[in-house]
Structures are given as C-alpha cells and as structure tokens.
Amino acid sequence: NAKHPRIHTGIGTSDQHVFTKIKTTREDIIVRSKQAVKWAKKHVEDVEFYAEDAGRTDNEFLAQVIEAVIAEGATVVNIPDTTGYCLPEEYGAKIKYLMENVKGIEKAIISTHCHNDLGLATANSIAGIQNGARQIECTINGLGERAGNASLEEIVMAIRTRADVLPYATQIDPKFLVRASKMV
C-alpha cells in the first residue's frame, strides 16, 4: 500500500561472495538473480536489484548479471561498493563499463551505494553519476555499518557547489541539512 512501492532484492556477485560466502557458481548467481526479480515483479512494478560487493566483482560477470536482471524487469540496478574498496577512478570506470556493455541498460536506472571504509564513499558516488548513474543511495551524516556510507550532506553540497562540472540536481533544500543532521 506504499505510495511508490518498490521491492529491493539482490545477491552477492564478487568471487568472494559467490565462492566463499554463498558457496555456489557464477551461473547459479545469474539464475537466482533472475528468479528474485521475476518473483518481485509479481508484486510490484518497481524492482531494484543490488549486486552485493559489485566493487570487487569482475566487470564482465557483473555486466552479465545486470543484463539478466534488466531482461527480467528490474527498473533500478544498484552497484554497491559494499566494502568501500574502490577508488573513484575504478568505481566510475565500473559504471561506465556497465553503461557501454549491458544490453538494455537504458531501461533501468543505475544506482550507487558506496561505503566509506577508505573515506571515499562520497567521491565514489560522484564518480558514479559522472559516468551514468542516476540515483545515489546515501545516509544523513554518512551513518552506516563500519565506517558508514556516502553522506547525503556532502553529496548535495558537492552537486550544488560544483554545478560547473556536475550538471545534476536534487530536490533537497540545503537549508534543512544542518537541522536534519543535528536531529539524527
């Protein structure tokens, strides 16, 4: 009954997740990914799929997974840097690779979801939108597991302050950022 219902589903895609955590094969990951999206589509139109640990996932395999879930109807594909491993150039290149190599990518929104383990979550999120992502998942004050996630305040102000090179917009009014930050 949500105003904008969405199911967010996903699975680990890095070799560490596939072979060590889930103890399966890449082929099985693709099958499970497609099944999850297909099931979710029975309940809502808007389905977001995350490829957990995409930051450490081989780009070619990641593209195969993303292409498969878009073919099943995923409307948003989330590319998490789950362990905060990527440098901005690497993360941006990963998004660019998907934009250039996934059949049907124009049917979905690419979303970033960056963790701050190396202090690069905001920089990686910005690199993501510079290379084709259109949604940034972030948190107030950068709160999140371990070192946290990309900071909403930093992203909003980076986009506003550097409009000369970041031609994007948010619907967030920055005059409320300090109050929201203090409340959280």
Side-chain angles (χ1 to χ4, degrees):
N1 295 324
K3 187 173 182 180
H4 301 286
R6 173 184 283 173
I7 293 177
H8 190 158
T9 186
I11 196 166
T13 56
S14 68
D15 285 350
Q16 294 88 338
H17 281 240
V18 173
F19 302 123
T20 305
K21 181 179 176 183
I22 305 170
K23 294 182 172 61
T24 191
T25 64
R26 285 181 166 185
E27 294 76 17
D28 183 52
I29 293 297
I30 292 173
V31 168
R32 290 183 191 199
S33 299
K34 290 168 62 173
Q35 287 173 338
V37 172
K38 190 174 184 176
W39 178 85
K41 289 295 276 191
K42 291 179 182 178
H43 301 281
V44 297
E45 186 56 35
D46 189 8
V47 175
E48 181 169 349
F49 176 85
Y50 69 90
E52 187 177 5
D53 204 19
R56 297 189 296 172
T57 300
D58 169 73
N59 284 348
E60 189 175 316
F61 177 61
L62 181 60
Q64 291 172 7
V65 172
I66 298 305
E67 189 169 304
V69 298
I70 290 172
E72 289 295 333
T75 52
V76 178
V77 288
N78 178 349
I79 311 303
D81 185 21
T82 304
T83 59
Y85 177 79
C86 288
L87 298 176
E89 299 81 20
E90 292 172 311
Y91 191 77
K94 186 172 289 286
I95 301 300
K96 184 177 183 180
Y97 182 88
L98 295 174
M99 291 294 295
E100 294 174 349
N101 292 282
V102 171
K103 181 181 174 187
I105 195 68
E106 69 284 350
K107 297 176 185 173
I109 293 169
I110 295 181
S111 178
T112 69
H113 181 104
C114 298
H115 286 257
N116 208 32
D117 299 60
L118 301 179
L120 298 168
T122 296
N124 284 342
S125 298
I126 297 297
I129 61 171
Q130 287 177 309
N131 285 281
R134 291 294 168 260
Q135 175 176 299
I136 295 176
E137 296 180 11
C138 53
T139 64
I140 294 173
N141 297 335
L143 293 176
E145 64 180 331
R146 296 181 318 277
N149 294 85
S151 165
L152 174 103
E153 305 79 29
E154 292 174 356
I155 290 168
V156 168
M157 294 314 297
I159 290 171
R160 288 180 62 87
T161 303
R162 293 305 313 268
D164 58 323
V165 293
L166 299 172
Y168 314 109
T170 73
Q171 296 178 10
I172 298 170
D173 186 340
K175 71 182 177 190
F176 296 106
L177 290 176
V178 171
R179 189 174 358 162
S181 176
K182 286 180 180 178
M183 182 176 72
V184 170

